[in-house]
Amino acid sequence: MPVFKFKGYDPDGSATEGIIEADGPRDAALKIKAKGLFPKEISEEASPYKRSLLRRYSPLIVASITRRLSTLLASGVPLVEAIGSLSFEQKGIWKNILIDIKERLSAGASLARAMQAYPAIFPDFYTGMIAAGESSGKLTDVLLKLADFLENENNIKSKLQTALIYPVFMGCISILILLFLFIFVIPKITKIFEDTSASLPFITIALIGISTVFKNFWWLLLLLAAGLTMSYRWVRKNRRDIIDNILLQDPTGILTGLYMLRFTLTMGFLLSGGLPILKAMQLTSKATGNVVLENKIMSAQNMVSQGAKLSASLEGFPPTLLQIISTGEQTGRLAEVLKKTSESYEAEFERKLQRAISLLEPILILTMGLIVGFIVVAVLLPIFELNQVLR
């Protein structure tokens, strides 16, 4: 449904503005008047949800809003007024979203229902937890847990991104240097050897061949790179299970640890928030970030719905984790056990990641050294042979 922005006056004559969903300008005017307001300007605008897709979603902003809302509610501020107060602190898209949520609340919608209008900002697990908090009367506690969860999840992503910055930067610089050498520098050096009638060592011939390919067929290499990129995107879009299955075979165990961290963290969080286990499994399956694991969790959900235990339904998960889940089921403390296990997985993930990065740096340096050594030997070897002939 289209979204309209309006400016006008309230019954007291004070200026007011807001946004409203309507079938058209006429319908928007009727809805505004039905609220007791007098519209002055009405203009259609892109919905906050659609415009939010044009910007990068920031979990930290959502976490901050969630934590502030929890504080306001804990202080006794009514929900509608709390949302209104938060809207005054925000600008742009976030301000419009909060104003719209406030209007939906004023119209009688629940907080979870109002937030479901923005699935790109408030995902299913978020609105599910909000709904559970509203039904149980523990909305303030649930909001606090949501803020902690979003911040923790963002910290994990930040650690991964930060750890990869240096290796990726070094890799890109190395590739640029090699391209410069093979396209501009080496052809001028090897031109001397091409003009001589003396036989050249195989390593020099190989260097000349590689340089010729880069210099004369660079466009073909670009097409090949573009083709590989498009093929990867197609496979990721249509057969993502192939890529995700390969990622599960990671010999370092870093990615598997990351998936198990997401599973235990999200599952424990949702269960502690009061969500039923079947709903928690459905939401957790999407949070793992791996289609293969998602299918296994959904298959386990079907078995659990028929009366099976969670620990006996999860196929392909680490035996240690399954034993921990079994213990949690027997003691009735599954949520608590999963949350503690996620802390262990997070610590292990950080150790493995730092170890991998510490190994990757010397590997990059060694690789560059071997390539540079290959170039030096290929250039100097024929020069030494030519000196021996002249003697």
Side-chain angles (χ1 to χ4, degrees):
M1 185 176 292
V3 175
F4 294 86
K5 184 176 182 179
F6 68 88
K7 293 182 179 180
Y9 303 95
D10 58 21
D12 298 330
S14 302
T16 183
E17 63 180 26
I19 56 176
I20 192 170
E21 290 184 350
D23 294 328
R26 183 181 178 83
D27 185 39
L30 292 174
K31 288 186 175 181
I32 294 171
K33 290 179 180 178
K35 294 184 176 183
L37 303 177
F38 303 95
K40 178 183 177 183
E41 297 178 7
I42 300 177
S43 59
E44 184 176 357
E45 64 171 13
S47 68
Y49 165 61
K50 290 182 178 179
R51 287 194 294 156
S52 69
L53 296 179
L54 300 177
R55 302 187 179 189
R56 188 169 182 82
Y57 162 67
S58 175
L60 285 181
I61 296 180
V62 179
S64 175
I65 291 174
T66 304
R67 189 175 296 280
R68 288 172 180 267
L69 180 58
S70 174
T71 302
L72 289 170
L73 294 180
S75 302
V77 180
L79 179 59
V80 176
E81 294 182 14
I83 295 292
S85 299
L86 291 174
S87 67
F88 292 135
E89 299 179 353
Q90 303 297 323
K91 297 180 181 179
I93 179 65
W94 295 100
K95 182 180 182 68
N96 291 337
I97 290 173
L98 290 172
I99 290 175
D100 183 55
I101 291 175
K102 177 185 175 182
E103 292 182 354
R104 291 174 186 269
L105 291 172
S106 300
S110 66
L111 180 59
R113 188 65 180 270
M115 289 179 167
Q116 285 174 355
Y118 304 94
I121 296 176
F122 305 107
D124 290 342
F125 79 85
Y126 189 101
T127 54
M129 288 285 289
I130 293 293
E134 288 179 306
S135 62
S136 64
K138 298 181 179 179
L139 182 58
T140 302
D141 295 335
V142 167
L143 287 169
L144 195 59
K145 290 180 180 180
L146 276 168
D148 292 337
F149 175 78
L150 291 173
E151 290 171 355
N152 192 17
E153 192 178 49
N154 187 76
N155 288 337
I156 294 171
K157 291 181 180 178
S158 298
K159 290 174 183 177
L160 182 60
Q161 293 172 353
T162 303
L164 293 176
I165 287 177
Y166 180 74
V168 171
F169 175 76
M170 287 295 296
C172 292
I173 293 297
S174 300
I175 292 174
L176 291 176
I177 292 174
L178 291 176
L179 289 175
F180 177 77
L181 289 175
F182 280 111
I183 295 175
F184 299 103
V185 178
I186 295 176
K188 295 181 180 180
I189 298 176
T190 56
K191 182 69 175 175
I192 302 173
F193 305 136
E194 292 176 352
D195 294 338
T196 63
S197 57
S199 60
L200 298 174
F202 173 76
I203 190 173
T204 306
I205 296 175
L207 180 64
I208 294 174
I210 294 173
S211 177
T212 301
V213 169
F214 274 98
K215 183 179 180 181
N216 299 329
F217 300 100
W218 57 269
W219 55 272
L220 186 60
L221 296 175
L222 287 178
L223 288 177
L224 179 61
L228 290 174
T229 302
M230 293 178 63
S231 299
Y232 171 78
R233 289 182 176 179
W234 183 90
V235 172
R236 185 168 181 80
K237 181 179 179 181
N238 299 281
R239 292 300 308 275
R240 187 179 169 184
D241 57 305
I242 296 177
I243 297 176
D244 286 351
N245 191 45
I246 294 175
L247 294 178
L248 284 174
Q249 312 305 319
D250 169 33
T252 64
I254 295 177
L255 292 177
T256 302
L258 177 61
Y259 296 142
M260 293 303 106
L261 168 58
R262 289 173 177 171
F263 171 79
T264 53
L265 180 64
T266 308
M267 190 74 177
F269 166 69
L270 295 176
L271 290 177
S272 66
L275 261 66
I277 187 169
L278 296 179
K279 182 65 175 178
M281 291 180 69
Q282 178 185 352
L283 297 175
T284 301
S285 66
K286 299 176 182 178
T288 58
N290 188 289
V291 172
V292 177
L293 289 179
E294 179 180 344
N295 293 335
K296 289 181 178 180
I297 295 172
M298 293 306 296
S299 177
Q301 182 200 39
N302 184 45
M303 297 175 65
V304 171
S305 66
Q306 297 175 10
K309 290 185 176 181
L310 177 61
S311 57
S313 305
L314 292 171
E315 179 185 353
F317 280 66
T320 304
L321 176 59
L322 295 179
Q323 183 61 50
I324 291 173
I325 293 175
S326 177
T327 303
E329 289 176 316
Q330 293 173 10
T331 59
R333 300 166 56 194
L334 181 57
E336 182 181 347
V337 167
L338 285 172
K339 290 177 69 176
K340 290 185 177 296
T341 306
S342 70
E343 296 174 1
S344 175
Y345 271 116
E346 183 175 1
E348 184 180 359
F349 169 73
E350 290 182 17
R351 287 196 300 269
K352 287 184 177 181
L353 184 62
Q354 291 301 323
R355 190 183 308 155
I357 296 301
S358 63
L359 290 175
L360 189 58
E361 293 178 10
I363 289 175
L364 285 173
I365 295 174
L366 179 61
T367 302
M368 281 296 296
L370 291 174
I371 295 175
V372 172
F374 164 76
I375 295 173
V376 171
V377 172
V379 171
L380 294 181
L381 190 58
I383 295 177
F384 291 152
E385 293 183 354
L386 183 61
N387 287 337
Q388 292 179 357
V389 171
L390 292 178
R391 289 178 183 177

